[in-house]
């Protein structure tokens, strides 16, 4: 079986490289056929300068769609070969301006006939082919300019990993992860307070046995995120959403949102009418997440933690 039949479309880069190598090899042979002593990679710069103008490397790079560094390197080769020359720029000496030399112009003139023949050969291939590669390349370039293959793969990877995250209820075996995940984000900005240590050391006693719940996010069977619903008594709120933490090595996968959505959905289905939370505005991603979930900032607050500077509520049932 052919290699590309086995790999499928994921090997598009390799396939394009092979096609490029085939075309480049033919291009070198064509120049030799016409007795024109230039390298194929010089052609775009030749074509850009063929009208006799002087142009800056930056302008040429933008015109032919190559990097400034690449054009600069090729231009130096062409200067050494005597086909282009650098011209002083009186207004900006940092800018490299180049133009074809007399020899370079002669080569450009010789290229006219060759280019016509090459164009006819390419048109023959297009006529024989089922699909128009030239139009397809232009279309791909436009699509990739809007969103690269890398961006698309990153999105697909994130969605796949999100789908592989499993939310489970708390068990004693998750106590260490519950402690460490919360300790990590709290100590990044502040210090652990007595109330933190009390809850994190014995969550079963201080949360579960008080009517609360803890949810754990598992990725590849490892606990990577936690969130708690602490039962509130003698309060207009049923639960406090608290101790949301995600392993920083696996963030940006929507795990925090998935945990919060799970907790809010669980509270709603259990008959809760309102949730409360306390946080700090330094935690911008978390605050943004809470707002997306529908939490509204309370005008007055009485923080239970020294680090608290914002309190929010979410009405579940009206």
């Amino acid at each position: 079986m052919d290699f590309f039949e086995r790999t499928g479309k994921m090997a598009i880069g390799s396939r394009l490289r092979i096609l490029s190598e085939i075309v480049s090899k033919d291009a070198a042979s064509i120049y030799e056929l016409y007795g024109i002593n230039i390298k194929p990679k010089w052609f775009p710069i030749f074509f850009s300068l063929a009208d006799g103008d002087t142009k800056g490397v930056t302008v040429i790079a933008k015109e032919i769609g190559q990097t400034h560094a690449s054009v600069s390197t090729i231009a130096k080769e062409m200067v050494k070969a005597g086909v282009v020359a650098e011209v002083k720029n009186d207004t900006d000496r940092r800018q490299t301006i180049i133009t074809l030399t007399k020899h370079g112009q002669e080569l450009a003139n010789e290229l006219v006939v060759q280019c016509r023949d090459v164009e006819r050969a390419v048109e023959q291939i297009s006529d024989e082919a089922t699909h128009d590669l030239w139009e397809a390349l232009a279309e791909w370039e436009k699509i990739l300019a809007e969103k690269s293959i890398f961006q698309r793969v990153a999105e697909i990877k994130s969605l796949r990993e999100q789908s592989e995250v499993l939310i489970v209820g708390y068990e004693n075996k998750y106590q260490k992860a519950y402690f460490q995940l919360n300790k990590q984000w709290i100590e990044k900005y502040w210090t652990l307070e007595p109330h933190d240590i009390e809850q994190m050391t014995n969550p079963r006693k201080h949360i579960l046995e008080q009517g609360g719940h803890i949810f754990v996010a598992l990725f590849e069977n490892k606990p990577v995120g936690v969130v708690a619903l602490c039962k509130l008594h003698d309060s207009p709120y049923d639960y406090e959403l608290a101790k949301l933490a995600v392993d920083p090595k696996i963030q940006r996968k929507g795990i925090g949102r998935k945990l919060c959505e799970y907790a809010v959905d669980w509270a709603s289905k259990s008959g809760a009418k309102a949730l409360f939370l306390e946080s700090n505005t330094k935690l911008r991603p978390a605050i943004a997440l809470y707002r997306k979930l529908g939490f509204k900032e309370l005008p007055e607050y009485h923080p239970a933690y020294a680090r608290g500077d914002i309190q929010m509520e979410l009405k579940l049932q009206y």
Side-chain angles (χ1 to χ4, degrees), residues 27-308:
S29 299
I30 290 168
Y31 287 122
E32 187 178 345
L33 176 67
Y34 285 76
I36 300 175
N37 187 26
I38 69 170
K39 297 180 181 180
K41 64 180 177 179
W42 295 358
F43 177 76
I45 297 178
F46 256 115
F47 192 86
S48 178
L49 297 172
D51 55 9
D53 286 346
T54 59
K55 293 182 180 179
V57 168
T58 302
V59 172
I60 295 173
K62 185 176 181 180
E63 184 179 311
I64 67 178
Q66 295 185 19
T67 64
H68 183 281
S70 175
V71 173
S72 180
T73 300
I74 295 171
K76 288 177 182 176
E77 288 183 14
M78 296 174 73
V79 169
K80 190 174 181 180
V83 294
V84 300
E86 292 188 3
V87 181
K88 290 183 179 180
N89 185 347
D90 294 330
T91 57
D92 186 355
R93 294 188 176 275
R94 295 171 300 175
Q95 188 177 18
T96 303
I97 305 295
I98 59 174
T99 187
L100 290 178
T101 61
K102 182 179 178 181
H103 174 53
Q105 191 61 59
E106 289 172 353
L107 289 175
N109 293 337
E110 292 175 18
L111 276 172
V112 173
V113 174
Q114 176 187 317
C115 288
R116 288 174 185 161
D117 292 350
V118 170
E119 188 170 9
R120 287 185 64 187
V122 173
E123 286 173 351
Q124 283 180 0
I125 296 171
S126 294
D127 291 340
E128 294 173 22
T130 303
H131 306 288
D132 191 315
L133 178 61
W134 192 253
E135 289 186 5
L137 286 172
E139 188 175 18
W140 270 67
E141 287 167 354
K142 181 180 178 181
I143 293 170
L144 290 175
E146 294 172 358
K147 185 186 288 188
S148 69
I149 294 177
F150 171 80
Q151 291 172 308
R152 293 168 190 271
V153 171
E155 288 177 1
I156 291 168
K157 177 176 181 286
S158 178
L159 288 172
R160 174 182 55 76
E161 290 177 339
Q162 285 180 41
S163 70
E164 294 173 355
V165 174
L166 179 66
I167 308 297
V168 299
Y170 178 85
E171 296 180 35
N172 289 338
K173 63 182 178 181
Y174 299 131
Q175 191 277 326
K176 183 178 179 181
Y178 180 78
F179 187 96
Q180 291 297 332
L181 288 170
N182 277 293
K183 179 176 183 289
Q184 197 166 18
W185 75 261
I186 293 172
E187 291 190 335
K188 182 177 179 180
Y189 301 100
W190 304 283
T191 57
L192 287 174
E193 298 179 31
H195 191 45
D196 290 316
I197 297 171
E198 183 180 68
Q199 279 197 350
M200 291 156 51
T201 302
N202 195 342
R204 181 166 294 281
K205 176 182 177 181
H206 295 286
I207 297 178
L208 301 184
E209 292 178 3
Q210 304 304 315
H213 301 272
I214 297 173
F215 304 106
V216 181
L218 301 180
F219 181 66
E220 298 179 346
N221 291 321
K222 297 178 181 177
V224 294
V226 293
V227 70
L229 281 176
C230 300
K231 183 64 177 175
L232 297 177
H233 303 279
D234 300 322
S235 167
Y237 304 103
D238 297 278
Y239 295 98
E240 177 185 358
L241 187 73
K243 294 297 184 284
L244 171 64
V246 176
D247 188 335
K249 296 192 294 292
I250 199 169
Q251 285 179 344
R252 300 185 183 277
K253 300 185 189 303
I255 295 174
R257 178 166 190 146
K258 194 166 185 175
L259 277 166
C260 287
E261 287 177 340
Y262 190 95
V264 169
D265 185 59
W266 186 95
S268 180
K269 288 178 179 177
S270 71
K273 295 181 179 180
L275 300 181
F276 167 86
L277 69 80
E278 181 176 338
S279 189
N280 188 287
T281 48
K282 280 185 179 181
L283 307 174
R284 293 183 181 180
I287 301 300
L289 170 58
Y290 299 144
R291 294 191 193 282
K292 287 178 182 177
L293 293 173
F295 279 89
K296 306 293 183 184
E297 183 175 353
L298 294 171
E300 295 183 12
Y301 62 91
H302 306 282
Y305 294 92
R307 61 179 177 269

